Amino acid sequence: MLEYAKKELVKYGKLIIEAGLTKGTGGNFSIFDRESSLMAITPSGVPYMSMREEDIVIMDLDGNIVEGDLKPSSEYQMHSIVYKNRKDVNAMVHLHSKFAATVSTLRKPIPAVDYLVAFSGGKEVPIAEYATYGTKELAENAMKAMGDLNAVLLANHGLNVVGPNMMTAFAVAEQLEFCAELYVRAKSMGEPVILDDEEMTMMVKRFENYGQKKE
Ligand SMILES: [Zn+2]
């Protein structure tokens, strides 16, 4: 089932490690197949570099396993709530990337330190209220804070990025982790200048057609 999604998840698992966006088994990713209403999600505790297509778990949006021998990621609810609420989203990455996670410990958004923050779909990457990992509460907090945007920070935890497909979600995650790094580094020397709302509104419009839409 969903062979294309399994292939993509295995491929992007390696790319995400190579890009330095997470380590070992940290984070989790999924692809949603709108036609069948099923989600392909990475398994719990399998290192991305050795993950195989048969390790991917297929689930419905109510949390039932439809195919797969392994346990799905403990954050599956955080993925399914997004597919239930967002018709424009077919892929999601949840990462423990170093700099986004660093900012998340301040429980503050990533402000517009660079125009690339507009890849979030807004003038900043918002921060969700803290909840224990793997809980329904965390899924709800993340969904609420993200709203119609493409990304959200999870307090003292990491970053979620969504997109029309895996390629876009991955590319946006790389850009936002770069912005988080700029913010952390700039803060170590002084107070960065934040781009104004007018500039960021224009950038958001400009980025709206970024990436490849799902065919
Ligand atoms: Zn996590």
Side-chain angles (χ1 to χ4, degrees), residues 1-16:
M1 293 174 91
L2 308 189
E3 294 307 318
Y4 78 95
K6 291 178 184 171
K7 277 198 177 70
E8 285 270 289
L9 291 174
V10 168
K11 177 176 115 186
Y12 278 94
K14 291 185 174 75
L15 287 174
I16 278 165

Side-chain angles (χ1 to χ4, degrees), residues 4-181:
Y4 78 95
K6 291 178 184 171
K7 277 198 177 70
E8 285 270 289
L9 291 174
V10 168
K11 177 176 115 186
Y12 278 94
K14 291 185 174 75
L15 287 174
I16 278 165
I17 293 286
E18 283 164 7
L21 289 173
T22 204
K23 280 192 173 158
T25 63
N28 34 75
F29 338 120
S30 69
I31 291 175
F32 183 55
D33 181 60
R34 211 152 275 284
E35 210 173 298
S36 61
S37 237
L38 295 174
M39 159 174 94
I41 189 162
T42 50
S44 179
V46 176
Y48 298 118
M49 291 312 271
S50 56
M51 195 171 69
R52 305 162 306 165
E53 284 169 36
E54 55 267 41
D55 296 334
I56 304 294
V57 184
I58 308 293
M59 302 182 82
D60 66 23
L61 294 188
D62 295 322
N64 303 303
I65 296 175
V66 178
E67 188 190 72
D69 299 325
L70 300 181
K71 247 173 62 183
S73 159
S74 54
E75 299 290 13
Y76 70 86
Q77 294 177 97
M78 200 160 69
H79 293 254
S80 59
I81 196 172
V82 170
Y83 300 129
K84 276 183 191 167
N85 284 281
R86 293 276 300 268
K87 301 281 171 266
D88 57 327
V89 170
N90 302 303
M92 171 165 153
V93 296
H94 161 66
L95 299 167
H96 299 165
S97 57
K98 240 178 272 171
F99 290 96
T102 302
V103 176
S104 83
T105 65
L106 303 176
R107 300 199 179 181
K108 282 182 180 168
I110 303 171
V113 285
D114 189 295
Y115 68 91
L116 294 171
V117 168
F119 275 120
S120 68
K123 64 184 172 68
E124 62 183 24
V125 181
I127 175 95
E129 259 180 69
Y130 184 81
T132 307
Y133 90 91
T135 60
K136 188 171 174 235
E137 193 189 357
L138 179 61
E140 287 169 354
N141 291 356
M143 187 66 237
K144 189 174 156 210
M146 182 169 76
D148 291 331
L149 299 178
N150 304 323
V152 63
L153 287 174
L154 307 180
N156 305 80
H157 185 160
L159 173 71
N160 290 355
V161 178
V162 302
N165 52 47
M166 199 39 127
M167 188 171 80
T168 306
F170 172 73
V172 171
E174 271 194 306
Q175 300 293 347
L176 295 180
E177 172 64 7
F178 170 74
C179 293
E181 180 171 1

